[in-house]
Amino acid sequence: MFLHRVTSFTSCIRPRGHPALPWASSHYQPFAPHPPPWWSAPRFPPWPPHFPPPYPPPCPLFSGNRFHFANTGGLQSFHTSVDVMMERSSRGPPTKRLKSGEDRKSVWENVSSRDGGTRETRAKARERESKQEHHHWDFRRDGELPRYWETCSTETQPPEDSRVFDFSVMSYNILSQDLLQDNAYLYRHCDPAVLPWPYRLPNLLAEIQQHNADILCLQEVQEDHYENQIKPALQALGYQCEYKKRTGKKPDGCAITFKSSRFSLVSSTPVEFYRHGDALLNRDNVGMVVVLQPNAGAARSDASCSICVANTHLLYNPRRGDIKLAQLAILLAEIGRLSRLPDGSTNPVILCGDFNSAPWSPLYHFLITGSLKYKGMQINMVSGQEMSPRGHRFLTPPIWSPGLGINQCCQYENDQALSQSEQCEARSEPNCSRYRIKHDLKLQSSYGHRLLPDGRPEVTTSHSRTSLTVDYILYSSDINATPLLPGGRGLQLLSRLSLVGQSELEEIHRLPNWHHSSDHLPLLASFRLGPDSFT
């Protein structure tokens, strides 16, 4: 693949009425919030936010069972449960994020005073003050990361044939405020002033407006914030919004939004992974699949040419790879059903989300290659989040219950489109297929997961515990055309917004910070839907 780094942060995405991917100036343009048209949306905090002074460091004040941060310059006080904000022991990280409102045991050492109250021990106080003195609370005010546009194709300009359709996609885990507060130990490295929602919201919206993607796939979108603030703001920017909240009592969910000037909605399908009575599928993660019809080019007049866009946030728990694979099977079955055309071909697919899996993991290998042989594979090694095994449980067939109605090819059992070759393979190689799962979406990643030229790993999320890639924009490529896929019906990757490595994130004290208001970085890529996709 031809790869060239463009030394400009300016977006190469084609605005309406302009040529695709214009070359920008050679000077780096720093991120700056645009004049926000979403000011007029109800309940919006003032912009720009008033930056509080970083010195002296905010002091946690104990009151009842909450901590309130003083010296935050008038920002709404950030507060969370007592024990979460305290110093934790040297034990390893928990196996999953804490549930909202879940009771937790305090990890600070307290001693009873004569009046029956509690006070911090002198040893702990000295330790905390020493850590603060060593850290200096020296936060760079902007926390800006050097991200550039990289071209991934020699054909950045559209051909004379006006039948092509160029569009851009962003995937972004925006960090639910409830999850931030319930897992505050992950953000001990942050200046507390950058954590309240009134500070984070304008930053997130300005970043979305700056990139101006045609399709947004957002994760950890808190329902009340979505309904009252995020949705009105995105609608003011010309987006149509689709949303699916997590099942149960979880406050957040996934959203897919798209520019109504560029796409029309064909269908919207929420996907729930929870199955009542299923011991494996008992978690509240969700996904969403939409089918979009382009509003320009030859695709506008061809009802059979649509784009299938899926978004999800899989289970976090590093030690439950079996659950992640089962959740993924449900999502892939829905994508296959919704993208398939009557002639047996499929529409192009975009799959975005936070998969809580590393690029070297078996789960990622399954997504990209379409096959996973899991005989002898430990469950806690599936996602690649843990580098050393901590258990001896192995994946056993079948991974998910037959009662789910999804076969080992990640297709619905009653789906008549299952090819004869796949049926024959399953009958002729029973031992192989018994420890093997498959899918036929032929996906590729928009990112290479290694930085040029030194080959360091790319990072999409960074907080106190870890820095690694877990977020992806996957797409069905036109190079995978087969006799079963007339014309290929794939996408061409044009460009992507570069990522950074761990050292760059450590220089700005990881995420979130003054500039980036999530613990994830947004992924952004532009694609071309070629004339071969039009029948």
Side-chain angles (χ1 to χ4, degrees):
M1 177 185 294
F2 174 82
L3 182 62
H4 175 70
R5 175 157 294 204
V6 181
T7 57
S8 172
F9 185 80
T10 306
S11 173
C12 299
I13 298 171
R14 175 171 62 95
R16 288 184 299 160
H18 292 73
L21 301 172
W23 295 104
S25 65
S26 60
H27 299 289
Y28 176 79
Q29 299 295 327
F31 170 84
H34 284 195
W38 33 264
W39 283 356
S40 57
R43 290 174 290 278
F44 265 80
W47 179 266
H50 300 291
F51 291 91
Y55 305 102
C59 300
L61 303 179
F62 176 70
S63 174
N65 63 346
R66 313 287 279 187
F67 267 96
H68 303 269
F69 283 89
N71 299 331
T72 54
L75 281 173
Q76 176 179 322
S77 296
F78 173 73
H79 54 80
T80 185
S81 303
V82 176
D83 54 286
V84 179
M85 293 306 300
M86 299 295 190
E87 289 294 334
R88 295 200 165 219
S89 65
S90 58
R91 293 180 301 171
T95 59
K96 62 180 179 178
R97 282 186 166 185
L98 298 175
K99 299 178 181 179
S100 179
E102 182 179 356
D103 292 334
R104 288 154 293 200
K105 182 179 179 180
S106 176
V107 295
W108 247 27
E109 295 178 14
N110 297 295
V111 295
S112 299
S113 62
R114 293 182 178 179
D115 58 1
T118 61
R119 62 180 176 86
E120 182 182 1
T121 63
R122 293 182 179 180
K124 280 293 181 179
R126 285 195 299 268
E127 180 182 354
R128 175 175 55 80
E129 292 168 359
S130 175
K131 287 183 177 181
Q132 290 181 354
E133 182 180 356
H134 175 73
H135 193 52
H136 296 297
W137 293 88
D138 184 17
F139 300 97
R140 286 174 52 179
R141 268 307 180 87
D142 55 359
E144 187 177 351
L145 289 168
R147 302 187 67 185
Y148 306 90
W149 276 100
E150 300 172 339
T151 59
C152 306
S153 171
T154 56
E155 301 177 3
T156 55
Q157 298 295 331
E160 296 297 330
D161 187 350
S162 61
R163 289 160 56 85
V164 301
F165 180 79
D166 294 353
F167 65 99
S168 57
V169 178
M170 174 189 280
S171 181
Y172 197 6
N173 182 326
I174 64 173
L175 180 57
S176 160
Q177 190 69 20
D178 276 8
L179 289 177
L180 183 155
Q181 294 178 193
D182 288 339
N183 298 273
Y185 68 95
L186 295 175
Y187 311 104
R188 292 179 298 180
H189 62 285
C190 299
D191 185 334
V194 306
L195 298 180
W197 183 245
Y199 179 84
R200 296 177 56 227
L201 173 63
N203 266 7
L204 293 168
L205 292 175
E207 195 167 17
I208 289 173
Q209 184 185 12
Q210 169 78 15
H211 295 308
N212 194 34
D214 297 312
I215 300 173
L216 299 176
C217 293
L218 306 177
Q219 304 90 39
E220 289 195 23
V221 183
Q222 195 164 307
E223 184 181 33
D224 56 339
H225 294 157
Y226 170 78
E227 293 292 345
N228 298 328
Q229 298 169 317
I230 297 174
K231 182 179 179 180
L234 294 180
Q235 288 176 332
L237 293 175
Y239 289 96
Q240 181 174 334
C241 304
E242 300 293 322
Y243 178 75
K244 172 58 182 175
K245 178 184 173 295
R246 285 206 283 172
T247 51
K249 298 180 180 180
K250 303 301 173 63
D252 63 297
C254 295
I256 299 180
T257 73
F258 57 92
K259 289 287 185 71
S260 56
S261 60
R262 306 222 65 208
F263 295 96
S264 297
L265 181 65
V266 177
S267 66
S268 177
T269 305
V271 182
E272 296 183 357
F273 300 143
Y274 177 84
R275 296 292 188 273
H276 180 71
D278 192 314
L280 186 67
L281 291 166
N282 59 357
R283 308 303 170 93
D284 294 313
N285 305 83
V286 296
M288 172 166 281
V289 184
V290 301
V291 178
L292 303 177
Q293 176 79 29
N295 289 340
R300 182 175 184 178
S301 58
D302 187 354
S304 66
C305 179
S306 299
I307 302 171
C308 182
V309 182
N311 182 26
T312 191
H313 188 181
L314 298 184
L315 178 72
Y316 166 75
N317 192 337
R319 303 175 188 177
R320 293 309 304 267
D322 51 345
I323 297 178
K324 296 184 186 187
L325 289 173
Q327 292 179 344
L328 191 57
I330 296 175
L331 183 64
L332 293 176
E334 280 296 322
I335 295 174
R337 180 180 70 86
L338 295 169
S339 64
R340 188 171 294 112
L341 295 173
D343 64 356
S345 64
T346 59
N347 276 322
V349 172
I350 297 282
L351 174 55
C352 299
D354 179 349
F355 292 84
N356 277 312
S357 301
W360 55 82
S361 67
L363 187 145
Y364 176 83
H365 176 84
F366 172 59
L367 280 169
I368 298 301
T369 65
S371 177
L372 178 64
K373 296 180 180 179
Y374 59 87
K375 187 174 183 179
M377 184 178 295
Q378 292 186 352
I379 291 176
N380 61 335
M381 301 301 289
V382 169
S383 66
Q385 293 165 281
E386 291 187 343
M387 299 304 295
S388 59
R390 296 188 179 182
H392 301 283
R393 295 182 58 208
F394 294 89
L395 290 172
T396 57
I399 296 177
W400 52 85
S401 169
L404 193 59
I406 297 175
N407 60 27
Q408 300 306 294
C409 294
C410 297
Q411 296 173 325
Y412 288 112
E413 293 284 1
N414 58 0
D415 193 337
Q416 301 301 319
L418 183 64
S419 68
Q420 293 294 323
S421 62
E422 290 173 327
Q423 295 180 23
C424 292
E425 180 183 354
R427 288 194 296 266
S428 62
E429 298 180 287
N431 292 332
C432 176
S433 59
R434 184 167 178 250
Y435 284 92
R436 182 183 182 186
I437 55 176
K438 299 174 58 179
H439 72 82
D440 60 359
L441 294 182
K442 299 179 172 62
L443 300 172
Q444 291 192 16
S445 176
S446 301
Y447 287 81
H449 313 308
R450 293 285 179 179
L451 297 171
L452 296 176
D454 53 11
R456 290 180 298 127
E458 294 176 336
V459 173
T460 67
T461 182
S462 181
H463 49 66
S464 293
R465 290 292 189 186
T466 188
S467 293
L468 76 163
T469 289
V470 295
D471 307 278
Y472 304 96
I473 298 178
L474 308 178
Y475 68 101
S476 55
S477 171
D478 55 6
I479 66 172
N480 290 315
T482 68
L484 295 178
L485 299 175
R489 288 191 175 274
L491 299 169
Q492 179 185 1
L493 177 64
L494 297 179
S495 61
R496 65 194 176 210
L497 187 62
S498 68
L499 287 167
V500 297
Q502 182 172 346
S503 60
E504 290 89 342
L505 288 160
E506 288 176 348
E507 288 179 3
I508 62 169
H509 300 289
R510 302 180 184 266
L511 302 172
N513 56 32
W514 292 95
H515 183 80
H516 300 281
S517 286
S518 174
D519 57 351
H520 291 247
L521 293 174
L523 276 61
L524 191 65
S526 62
F527 300 93
R528 174 168 295 161
L529 183 64
D532 287 342
S533 297
F534 312 140
T535 57

